[in-house]
Amino acid sequence: MQSPVLSAEVTLVTSFNDADPMGIVYHGNYFRFFEEARRVLMEKLQYGYREMKASGYTWPVIDAQIKYIRAIPFNHEIRVIATLVEWENRLRVNYVIQDAETGERMSRAHTVQVAVGVDDDEMRLASPRVFTDKVEALSAHV
């Protein structure tokens, strides 16, 4: 089953400590930006990190890919959009970083996460109902 388009976005201003000595955002810091957009997305689903753990699951990232399209300087306003595209067997979120003013794409990426039981440390082959029910409930209102 294909996920309805569920997304969230955040607008951030890159800081000096995000940048390398050339004044360009260090490539590893992009994942912090993705994380912030994913956090907002998961809270929109009412399944943030505290709810995940309380439901008996952690969701480690098992795969991540990124395409750097345009360098981002420090003190630059960006929009980060996170879109849930898979959710039945794993959690896949696609990301786009845009220049907040022009909308120009600066980066795209995705992460894949899987449910792991807190009690048994076992990876689940299907996403638990506690999560899929939340996606279905929200998608019914989209």
Side-chain angles (χ1 to χ4, degrees):
M1 172 186 235
Q2 196 66 312
S3 169
V5 176
L6 299 175
S7 63
E9 68 178 60
V10 296
T11 301
L12 307 166
V13 176
T14 59
S15 65
F16 180 76
N17 68 341
D18 290 328
D20 63 19
M22 295 176 286
I24 302 299
V25 171
Y26 169 68
H27 71 277
N29 284 329
Y30 284 57
F31 287 95
R32 288 190 309 103
F33 307 149
F34 301 146
E35 171 64 26
E36 182 60 14
R38 185 173 65 234
R39 181 192 63 78
V40 171
L41 174 64
M42 297 310 288
E43 287 181 359
K44 188 175 180 179
L45 286 165
Q46 297 180 340
Y47 197 60
Y49 295 118
R50 288 189 177 109
E51 290 84 6
M52 286 178 186
K53 188 170 183 183
S55 74
Y57 301 97
T58 60
W59 290 80
V61 172
I62 62 165
D63 184 40
Q65 294 185 8
I66 185 168
K67 173 73 173 175
Y68 300 97
I69 299 168
R70 182 175 155 234
I72 303 173
F74 77 89
N75 198 32
H76 193 84
E77 189 173 27
I78 58 173
R79 180 178 304 109
V80 186
I81 303 163
T83 304
L84 179 65
V85 295
E86 292 182 40
W87 53 272
E88 287 183 316
N89 297 312
R90 61 189 191 164
L91 172 63
R92 179 180 163 140
V93 179
N94 289 349
Y95 308 91
V96 174
I97 295 179
Q98 299 173 332
D99 182 294
E101 185 177 324
T102 68
E104 180 183 3
R105 186 180 294 192
M106 304 178 92
S107 178
R108 64 182 160 82
H110 77 260
T111 55
V112 176
Q113 296 168 255
V114 294
V116 174
V118 170
D119 293 337
D120 59 12
D121 204 30
E122 293 289 323
M123 183 174 72
R124 301 306 192 256
L125 299 177
S127 295
R129 293 281 317 217
V130 67
F131 174 62
T132 59
D133 287 350
K134 290 179 180 294
V135 174
E136 291 168 10
L138 184 60
S139 65
H141 295 92
V142 174

